[in-house]
Amino acid sequence: MLMGSLVGSAGKRERCEKGDVHRDGDYHRAVHVWIYSESTQELLLQKRADCKDSWPGCWDISSAGHISAGDSSLVTAQRELEEELGIVLPKDAFELLFIFLQECVTNDGDFINNEFNDVYLVTTLDPIPLEAFTLQESEVSAVKYLSYDEYRSFLAKEDPEYTPFDVNGQYGQLFDIITQRYNQKAIDRSLALQKKIHRYASVTLKAELSGLSNGEREALLLVIEAAKVIDEIFYLQVWYNNPALRDWLKEHAASSELDKLKWIYYSINKSPWSCLDENEAFLTTADSAVKLLSKPAKQVNGWKGIEYKVAFPMQKPPSANFYPPDMEKEEFDLWKSSLSKDEQSEATGFFNVIKRKSQSSLDGASSIVSDESNNNNTVKPVHDLFIVPYSQEYRALLTKAAELLHKAGNSTSSPSLKRLLQSKAEAFLSNDYYDSDIAWMELDSKLDVTIGPYETYEDALFGYKATFEAFIGIRDDKATSQLKLFGDNLQVLEQNLPLDSVYKSLDVIAAPIRVIQLVYNAGDVKGPQTVAFNLPNDERIVKDRGTSMVILKNVSEAKFKHILQPIAAACISREQCGLVDFDSFFTHTICHECCHGIGPHTITLPNGQKSTVRLELQELHSALEEAKADIVGLWALKFLIDQDLLPKTLVKSMYVSFLAGCFRSVRFGLEEAHGKGQALQFNWLFEKGALVLHDDETFSVDFTKVEGAVESLSREILTIQAKGDKRAARSLINRYCKMTDPLKSALQRLENIQVPVDIAPIFPIADLVSE
């Protein structure tokens, strides 16, 4: 949303009556709700009552009203539709299109309207029968449907029978959106989706299962079943309508070539927003599922009810489905400040969602009563938010997953795997993940399992809430034994970081590293695929026990073959292209994950208060942490080489392979944490002269400057994290996380020769598990 509630909670008084607001010209918020019929391409208009103090007797928005103090936008939209027209619709029918500032003066200066309007669209298949409406006589005298083109024409020529809106200004978006949504040709959409899909190289990933015992094979299939349940939770975490959209697209995938392409690309992104296009929507509500409400209004003979499109916003909500869709950061912060210290920790914790009391009541109520119609002036609760633990929010799915994990644990003879699976099953139901994460860190099994809520990238509002994910693989014992060097030297790396000593930790714990061949993943694995991860993110465990790393070797090999090698051939100078090799790429991946475990995590603020980097940097944390792990990983490799722990032949190849990797990750987009972090690094190094652009549009590394540039950026990021300095973090990101001309040049070159951006894994083992 654009801003907080200007009437009441953020204003000069607890409550303003509507007349006072318009008399004094106070800036305030309101909602506009439009009902659009797809089959007739018509908008529903209401005729304002003759007693209205503005535009009496004029045709106007389907429904509209002020957002009262303590109310939310979405609840107000639902309430106004019921009060004015007698139509009761659930929240999934309302699509927020845009926010419109209306500033006008009428009635000889007596009516001053300074209004921020949240404009919603409700899309129905067919017109609602006019007899089904119950009109609020004090507000509405009649309703009618009118072609949206004809309505736009009336507004454009300022017809006096219609409340005026400037269709050539901000409000013209309403008509532009409808036109674009329904006039695009199927062939054009198909070609656009094909181009997007071809950015992913389909790769079959499998591993040798002969080393597994019969019990472990049985456990493997049960864990994959549990992972599929986890997948269901992730779809729900992205957006509350996401599962309905997924099911609809899958059901209709065979209807046409376009429907098939919609389903393929949706399956890659696990949402209607494209990961590689700054989360731009590639679907609209017009593509969405259809739901039938049999009793949304007054009954009409022969009318079965309202069939409406399940809505989702064109812009991906930063709140995902962890917070109310109309909640603003200011509202959360104000509510949090009213909580006890323990409650604040819970509110900002990983494993719960934040909900709205008024929305929860509305979801279970048959009607809505507004404050404006409440004559006893009952005072609302000051705060409308409350906490729901994951174990309660996803109870049915987590119970099913827990049962499968218990069965899997009973099937295996590996004590550590049994402990992991059973403790994770218990955590799903208790919401306490501490013991299960310790069990994960201590896992010593041929069958390697990571399952649960971990990463916080999807929470773009604060970076607090964890998404569910699963990675299942077979441990590569030979590769794992070769990597002990990195985990054993974390304390040495910590003490030598380019960071003031006062910020360094004296008790960094050696990080176990496991290399696996991935056989299945689920949950938060949309879009670009991870090659490694360092977990857990829970600062309590990081402080007490450190972290553990899992490297997905077959994923790394696939990316190197299908993506990094073609990138190097296109973008790295002829003299240095041969320095790009898999060992350098893979070794830096390992060091990147190691470096998540060093540097600041739990910090002391200038006022002496204890906190964490995640809590202080909030939505900026993920991108900065990824940049830190990358650039400090490069610094750490050079340090280990200087200590004769790695071969000196690695020096040049690691820098040039890193450069090729910059172009790989930036192609993920600057809305994605890894892409944003990579742009920061590339632009910093380029500015320092460590990376050089040649006349033939290829790049090279200046080996005389790169070491100093890597160290200076490492120091900059580590210091920002150590101080919990969000202002400095924002300044650094705003300056360097940009698609600069050198980056644009490289990316255009790669697009021209159609180098894949990432891989789309295919897991044959999934066919062995029943749906």
Side-chain angles (χ1 to χ4, degrees), residues 67 101 160 197 201 212 225 243 273 297 314 333 341 374 393 404 412 419 461 468 507 558 584 624 646 676 713 735 752:
I67 302 176
L101 173 58
I197 292 166
L212 298 181
E225 284 193 63
W273 301 288
M314 293 180 292
D333 290 338
K341 187 174 181 180
N374 186 354
E393 179 72 2
L404 290 165
T412 180
R419 180 188 167 209
L461 200 63
F468 280 83
D507 54 359
S584 299
L624 206 64
L646 289 172
K676 188 179 291 186
L713 179 55
R735 179 174 176 182
N752 290 343

Coordinates of all heavy atoms in Angstrom, one line a residue, residues 67 101 160 197 201 212 225 243 273 297 314 333 341 374 393 404 412 419 461 468 507 558 584 624 646 676 713 735 752:
I67 N -12.2 4.4 4.4 CA -11.6 3.5 5.3 C -11.6 4.1 6.7 O -10.8 5.1 6.9 CB -10.2 3.1 4.9 CG1 -10.2 2.5 3.4 CG2 -9.6 2.1 5.9 CD1 -8.9 2.2 2.9
L101 N -4.8 8.9 -6.2 CA -5.0 10.2 -5.4 C -5.9 11.1 -6.1 O -5.6 11.6 -7.2 CB -3.6 10.8 -5.2 CG -3.7 12.2 -4.5 CD1 -4.4 12.1 -3.1 CD2 -2.3 12.8 -4.3
P160 N -22.4 15.2 -17.9 CA -22.8 15.6 -16.5 C -23.6 14.6 -15.8 O -23.8 14.7 -14.6 CB -23.7 16.9 -16.8 CG -24.2 16.7 -18.2 CD -23.0 16.0 -19.0
I197 N 9.8 -19.7 -21.4 CA 10.1 -21.1 -21.0 C 11.5 -21.6 -21.5 O 12.2 -22.3 -20.8 CB 9.0 -22.0 -21.6 CG1 7.7 -21.8 -20.8 CG2 9.4 -23.5 -21.4 CD1 6.4 -22.4 -21.5
A201 N 16.7 -24.6 -19.2 CA 17.1 -25.9 -19.9 C 16.6 -27.0 -19.0 O 16.9 -27.2 -17.9 CB 18.6 -25.9 -20.0
L212 N 21.8 -47.7 -1.1 CA 20.8 -47.6 -0.1 C 20.3 -49.0 0.3 O 20.1 -49.8 -0.6 CB 19.6 -46.8 -0.6 CG 19.8 -45.3 -1.0 CD1 18.5 -44.7 -1.4 CD2 20.4 -44.5 0.2
E225 N 7.0 -38.4 -0.6 CA 5.6 -38.2 -0.4 C 5.4 -37.0 0.6 O 4.5 -36.1 0.4 CB 4.9 -39.4 0.2 CG 4.6 -40.5 -0.9 CD 3.6 -41.5 -0.3 OE1 2.4 -41.1 -0.1 OE2 4.0 -42.7 -0.2
P243 N -3.1 -21.8 -4.6 CA -3.5 -23.2 -4.9 C -4.7 -23.4 -5.8 O -4.7 -24.3 -6.7 CB -3.8 -23.8 -3.5 CG -3.0 -22.9 -2.5 CD -3.0 -21.6 -3.2
W273 N 3.8 -15.0 -11.1 CA 4.8 -14.0 -11.2 C 6.1 -14.6 -11.7 O 6.6 -15.6 -11.1 CB 5.0 -13.2 -9.9 CG 3.7 -12.6 -9.5 CD1 3.1 -11.5 -10.0 CD2 2.8 -13.0 -8.4 NE1 1.9 -11.2 -9.3 CE2 1.7 -12.1 -8.3 CE3 2.9 -14.0 -7.4 CZ2 0.7 -12.3 -7.4 CZ3 1.9 -14.2 -6.5 CH2 0.8 -13.3 -6.5
A297 N -26.2 -12.9 -2.6 CA -27.1 -11.8 -2.7 C -28.6 -12.3 -2.6 O -28.8 -13.4 -2.3 CB -26.9 -11.0 -4.0
M314 N -1.5 -7.8 -9.9 CA -0.6 -7.8 -11.0 C 0.9 -7.7 -10.4 O 1.8 -8.2 -11.0 CB -0.9 -6.7 -11.9 CG -2.2 -6.8 -12.7 SD -2.5 -5.5 -13.8 CE -2.8 -4.1 -12.6
D333 N 4.6 -2.3 12.7 CA 5.5 -1.7 13.7 C 4.8 -1.1 14.9 O 5.2 -1.3 16.1 CB 6.4 -0.7 13.1 CG 7.4 -1.3 12.1 OD1 7.8 -2.5 12.2 OD2 7.9 -0.5 11.2
K341 N 8.1 -8.1 25.3 CA 9.4 -8.5 24.6 C 9.3 -9.9 24.0 O 9.7 -10.1 22.8 CB 10.5 -8.5 25.6 CG 11.9 -8.7 24.9 CD 13.0 -8.5 25.9 CE 14.4 -8.7 25.3 NZ 15.5 -8.5 26.3
N374 N -23.0 1.9 13.1 CA -23.0 1.5 14.5 C -23.3 2.7 15.4 O -22.4 3.5 15.6 CB -21.6 0.9 14.8 CG -21.6 0.3 16.2 OD1 -22.6 0.4 16.9 ND2 -20.5 -0.3 16.6
E393 N -1.7 -22.9 11.5 CA -2.2 -22.4 10.2 C -2.2 -23.5 9.2 O -3.1 -23.5 8.3 CB -1.2 -21.3 9.8 CG -1.5 -20.7 8.4 CD -2.7 -19.8 8.4 OE1 -3.4 -19.6 9.4 OE2 -3.1 -19.3 7.3
L404 N 3.9 -39.2 7.6 CA 4.8 -39.8 6.6 C 6.2 -39.8 7.1 O 7.0 -40.8 6.9 CB 4.7 -39.0 5.3 CG 3.4 -39.2 4.5 CD1 3.2 -38.1 3.4 CD2 3.3 -40.6 3.9
T412 N 13.9 -46.8 8.4 CA 15.4 -46.8 8.3 C 16.1 -47.3 9.5 O 15.6 -47.3 10.6 CB 15.9 -45.3 8.0 OG1 17.3 -45.3 7.9 CG2 15.5 -44.4 9.2
R419 N 16.4 -40.2 13.9 CA 16.2 -39.1 14.8 C 15.7 -37.8 14.1 O 14.9 -37.1 14.5 CB 17.5 -38.8 15.5 CG 17.4 -37.6 16.5 CD 18.8 -37.3 17.0 NE 18.8 -36.0 17.7 CZ 19.8 -35.1 17.8 NH1 20.9 -35.4 17.3 NH2 19.6 -34.0 18.5
L461 N 8.6 -8.2 2.7 CA 8.2 -7.0 3.5 C 9.2 -6.8 4.6 O 9.6 -5.7 4.9 CB 6.8 -7.3 4.1 CG 6.0 -6.1 4.6 CD1 5.7 -5.1 3.5 CD2 4.7 -6.5 5.2
F468 N 8.5 -23.2 3.5 CA 8.8 -24.7 3.6 C 9.5 -25.1 2.3 O 9.1 -24.7 1.2 CB 7.5 -25.4 3.8 CG 7.0 -25.4 5.2 CD1 6.2 -24.3 5.7 CD2 7.2 -26.5 6.0 CE1 5.8 -24.3 7.0 CE2 6.8 -26.5 7.4 CZ 6.0 -25.4 7.8
D507 N 34.0 -17.7 18.8 CA 33.6 -19.1 19.0 C 32.8 -19.6 17.8 O 31.8 -20.2 17.9 CB 32.7 -19.2 20.3 CG 31.5 -18.3 20.3 OD1 31.4 -17.5 19.3 OD2 30.7 -18.3 21.2
A558 N 25.2 -29.5 -13.8 CA 24.3 -29.2 -14.9 C 24.3 -27.7 -15.2 O 24.3 -27.3 -16.4 CB 22.9 -29.6 -14.5
S584 N 36.8 -24.5 -10.1 CA 36.8 -23.1 -9.5 C 35.3 -22.7 -9.2 O 35.1 -22.2 -8.1 CB 37.4 -22.1 -10.5 OG 38.7 -22.4 -10.8
L624 N 21.8 -8.5 0.9 CA 23.1 -8.2 1.4 C 23.8 -9.4 1.9 O 25.1 -9.5 1.8 CB 23.0 -7.1 2.6 CG 24.2 -6.2 2.8 CD1 24.5 -5.4 1.5 CD2 24.1 -5.4 4.0
L646 N 45.1 -24.3 -0.3 CA 44.6 -24.5 -1.7 C 45.7 -24.2 -2.7 O 46.5 -23.4 -2.4 CB 43.4 -23.7 -1.9 CG 42.1 -24.0 -1.2 CD1 41.0 -23.0 -1.4 CD2 41.6 -25.4 -1.5
K676 N 20.2 -9.6 -7.1 CA 20.5 -8.3 -6.5 C 21.9 -8.2 -5.9 O 22.6 -7.2 -6.1 CB 19.4 -7.9 -5.5 CG 19.4 -6.5 -5.0 CD 18.3 -6.2 -4.0 CE 17.0 -6.2 -4.6 NZ 15.9 -5.9 -3.6
L713 N 35.0 -4.3 -0.6 CA 33.6 -4.6 -0.6 C 33.3 -5.5 0.5 O 32.2 -5.4 1.2 CB 33.1 -5.2 -1.9 CG 31.6 -5.5 -2.0 CD1 30.8 -4.3 -1.7 CD2 31.3 -6.1 -3.4
R735 N 22.8 2.3 -4.6 CA 23.9 2.8 -5.5 C 24.4 1.7 -6.5 O 24.7 2.0 -7.6 CB 25.0 3.3 -4.7 CG 26.2 3.8 -5.5 CD 27.3 4.4 -4.7 NE 28.4 4.8 -5.5 CZ 29.6 5.4 -5.0 NH1 29.7 5.6 -3.7 NH2 30.5 5.7 -5.9
N752 N 20.7 -12.7 -27.1 CA 20.8 -12.8 -28.6 C 21.2 -14.2 -29.0 O 20.7 -14.7 -30.1 CB 21.8 -11.8 -29.1 CG 21.3 -10.4 -29.0 OD1 20.1 -10.1 -28.8 ND2 22.2 -9.4 -29.1

